[in-house]
Amino acid sequence: MTETSTWSQRFESALHPAIASFNASISFDIELIEYDITGSQAHAKMLAHTGIISPEEGEKLVTGLEQILQEYQQGTFQPGIDAEDVHFAVETRLTEIVGDVGKKLHTARSRNDQVGTDTRLYLREQIQQIRQYLRAFQSILLEIAEKNVETLIPGYTHLQRAQPVSLAHHLLAYFQMAQRDWERLGDVYKRVNISPLGCGALAGTTFPIDRHYTAQLLDFDSIYANSLDGVSDRDFAIEFLCAASMIMVHLSRLSEEVILWSSEEFRFVSLKDSCATGSSIMPQKKNPDVPELVRGKTGRVFGHLQAMLVIMKGLPLAYNKDLQEDKEGIFDSVNTVKACLEAMTILMGEGLEFRQQRLAEAVTEDFSNATDVADYLAAKGVPFREAYNLVGKVVKTSIAAGKLLKDLTIEEWQEIHPAFDTDIYEAISPRQVVSARNSYGGTGFNQIKQALLDARSQITE
Ligand code: ARG
């Protein structure tokens, strides 16, 4: 190793090749190039604005940086491992383009505040994109819900049939989860959108910089109040990964339901050929690969959140190279969440069909109207607990007799309790069972109609 180092004169020899590659982040942080350039342009403008460099020098740096972006977009600038990271790659190329003035770019700046700035600029944009994906997902859920107010589906607790609900109600539950995800990302955005630029390596700088000026140029809402915190804070990354994990929890739950619904045991939905795959050996099979993959990919996003928490735990102030490990998890989470939202939106929108006939049968073939019999008696003055016990007995004898509640004769009902009248049949019909749950937020049709209107206005705000 006789080559000279890229570092200051303090170093006599170059890095061991294996260590150089171990140390380098260029293979993945090249993703930040656009933001690195934008951040550097703002920094150069600020240096000129404050008189730290001349206006001409500032101009040269800004134009040179612009050229690097074009070269990158055209594919002519492809920095290799020797660049170490995107920040060095850009700075080195800049000096090749504009000459020695390029060496002034890093005045009053460190890669520590630079990488923090880049990551925030990247995440800021990605958050807005993910929010759009969430909106598209919500729109599809809402569209299907609007068409299926009257479609009934068994509602479950403990994965046992409990009470029928409107399919719209079921889908709106996922709509609300996505709404919280959308809001949560908006909240994370506030903490992402704070500028660490100008915090320097850790302690600030001796130059008369203007941090507010760069923050304004880069559209940051505010600036870090403490330079040590500014360069070493990754709370915003943890918060983002947490919000991303929550999105995945929700998508994974829906995935699980679609997988169950498409099984022979449920048969509530049929998968369209465009979103299902076959088996290489069993010709009869149609597999729900999309929701299975979404459910599976959830694990890696949770993993990235866990990794980030562990990276931060026990990290002394201020910057430590451990922080370079934040990026791959963030990038992968961003890409995974977007891909999963897109796939689930397509799956729900055009990849499956609810089997209306089968759903209509499903809500009439069980005892999920038993609560309504108890409610019927309770409404006629029988204490609820007494009514509940009575109906429990009826269910038991009906099961033994191979009957459903709707099959009992009026004589049989009146034998159970004289308060029963012929209107019991209507009261326990699935449609009425659903319709009657008209309490706020319930599945009653009037509630659903209002909920649909509210949901529509939530996404058009
Ligand atoms: N590639 C580094 C990272 O991603 C940039 C900052 C390096 N700073 C340092 N002091 N070595 O974190």
Side-chain angles (χ1 to χ4, degrees):
M1 277 176 293
T2 46
E3 292 162 52
T4 53
S5 162
T6 46
W7 304 101
S8 71
Q9 299 303 312
R10 173 180 169 167
F11 288 78
E12 278 167 16
S13 64
L15 272 177
H16 185 290
I19 298 300
S21 117
F22 182 70
N23 196 42
S25 52
I26 188 75
S27 62
F28 50 87
D29 67 15
I30 190 71
E31 178 93 27
L32 296 175
I33 189 162
E34 204 184 304
Y35 309 98
D36 195 71
I37 289 174
T38 312
S40 290
Q41 285 177 323
H43 181 67
K45 285 180 192 167
M46 183 279 293
L47 291 177
H49 175 76
T50 51
I52 298 169
I53 60 173
S54 71
E56 298 72 37
E57 288 174 327
E59 194 55 43
K60 273 194 191 147
L61 295 178
V62 171
T63 343
L65 286 162
E66 200 58 48
Q67 186 181 322
I68 300 177
L69 184 59
Q70 278 162 17
E71 289 178 357
Y72 178 72
Q73 284 163 350
Q74 286 155 6
T76 52
F77 176 52
Q78 290 170 337
I81 201 88
D82 50 323
E84 187 182 325
D85 62 20
V86 66
H87 323 294
F88 271 142
V90 169
E91 195 184 328
T92 310
R93 180 70 194 130
L94 182 65
T95 306
E96 285 167 12
I97 296 173
V98 302
D100 274 354
V101 62
K103 295 180 184 165
K104 291 198 172 183
L105 175 68
H106 213 53
T107 315
R109 186 179 72 168
S110 154
R111 281 185 302 157
N112 299 351
D113 55 346
Q114 190 179 352
V115 71
T117 306
D118 294 3
T119 311
R120 284 166 179 83
L121 291 176
Y122 163 86
L123 216 39
R124 204 171 71 171
E125 193 171 312
Q126 296 301 329
I127 285 176
Q128 296 303 28
Q129 286 184 23
I130 295 172
R131 289 180 106 206
Q132 307 257 311
Y133 278 88
L134 280 166
R135 280 294 190 238
F137 176 59
Q138 287 182 293
S139 293
I140 282 297
L141 292 177
L142 187 51
E143 247 174 63
I144 312 170
E146 281 164 347
K147 287 186 200 137
N148 285 285
V149 176
E150 309 267 334
T151 307
L152 308 186
I153 184 170
Y156 295 80
T157 63
H158 312 270
L159 203 57
Q160 307 287 326
R161 298 253 178 109
Q163 289 164 357
V165 293
S166 155
L167 175 56
H169 197 50
H170 199 108
L171 295 171
L172 283 177
Y174 285 100
F175 175 98
Q176 290 301 336
M177 295 178 216
Q179 178 63 20
R180 286 195 296 278
D181 291 330
W182 186 86
E183 288 169 13
R184 191 174 290 112
L185 278 177
D187 197 47
V188 172
Y189 187 95
K190 291 182 206 156
R191 253 116 30 221
V192 169
N193 204 24
I194 304 174
S195 172
L197 192 57
C199 287
L202 74 164
T205 171
T206 54
F207 291 92
I209 58 166
D210 186 345
R211 291 187 55 206
H212 291 285
Y213 189 76
T214 45
Q216 209 180 350
L217 287 177
L218 294 170
D219 250 336
F220 279 114
D221 291 332
S222 60
I223 65 177
Y224 272 85
N226 180 296
S227 63
L228 293 167
D229 183 36
V231 290
S232 65
D233 172 37
R234 292 294 182 275
D235 293 1
F236 71 95
I238 295 175
E239 281 191 59
F240 169 74
L241 293 170
C242 189
S245 295
M246 291 293 280
I247 296 175
M248 294 307 295
V249 170
H250 299 149
L251 292 182
S252 190
R253 291 182 71 183
L254 178 58
S255 294
E256 173 66 18
E257 297 217 90
V258 171
I259 293 164
L260 286 174
W261 289 344
S262 67
S263 72
E264 196 53 33
E265 283 66 21
F266 278 76
R267 290 186 290 116
F268 289 175
V269 299
S270 53
L271 296 171
K272 302 245 186 90
D273 292 355
S274 62
C275 286
T277 54
S279 155
S280 60
I281 171 170
M282 297 166 282
Q284 85 284 9
K285 292 205 69 186
K286 215 178 194 190
N287 296 329
D289 290 38
V290 173
E292 287 175 298
L293 271 175
V294 170
R295 191 177 57 183
K297 282 175 189 293
T298 300
R300 60 205 272 177
V301 179
F302 292 1
H304 295 316
L305 169 62
Q306 177 69 5
M308 195 69 231
L309 286 165
V310 178
I311 289 167
M312 294 311 290
K313 175 189 173 296
L315 207 63
L317 289 176
Y319 178 87
N320 296 272
K321 191 73 170 225
D322 313 44
L323 293 177
Q324 181 166 286
E325 286 292 306
D326 65 354
K327 279 170 275 303
E328 287 160 291
I330 294 178
F331 298 158
D332 186 60
S333 299
V334 162
N335 296 335
T336 304
V337 165
K338 280 169 148 180
C340 290
L341 276 169
E342 186 184 27
M344 284 305 278
T345 304
I346 295 172
L347 177 70
M348 295 307 288
E350 52 191 272
L352 56 81
E353 204 167 351
F354 284 92
R355 302 173 68 163
Q356 300 287 337
Q357 183 61 31
R358 164 71 190 139
L359 287 172
E361 286 161 17
V363 292
T364 47
E365 67 192 17
D366 57 26
F367 288 89
S368 59
N369 49 3
T371 317
D372 297 78
V373 180
D375 285 355
Y376 176 95
L377 285 181
K380 298 208 169 182
V382 182
F384 179 79
R385 187 55 64 208
E386 204 179 297
Y388 165 91
N389 286 328
L390 258 180
V391 181
K393 263 190 236 157
V394 181
V395 170
K396 192 163 114 184
T397 51
S398 300
I399 291 174
K403 282 180 169 185
L404 291 168
L405 294 176
K406 68 177 166 67
D407 302 327
L408 299 189
T409 62
I410 187 66
E411 291 75 26
E412 285 173 307
W413 280 119
Q414 280 168 351
E415 220 168 280
I416 297 156
H417 200 287
F420 282 115
D421 212 334
T422 49
D423 59 352
I424 182 64
Y425 296 103
E426 167 63 6
I428 62 171
S429 73
R431 204 178 178 287
Q432 180 54 27
V433 163
V434 172
S435 176
R437 291 196 158 66
N438 203 25
S439 54
Y440 182 86
T443 191
F445 298 120
N446 290 338
Q447 289 299 319
I448 302 286
K449 277 171 202 150
Q450 189 55 47
L452 287 169
L453 292 177
D454 293 347
R456 183 57 67 198
S457 72
Q458 271 179 307
I459 57 169
T460 42
E461 254 168 26

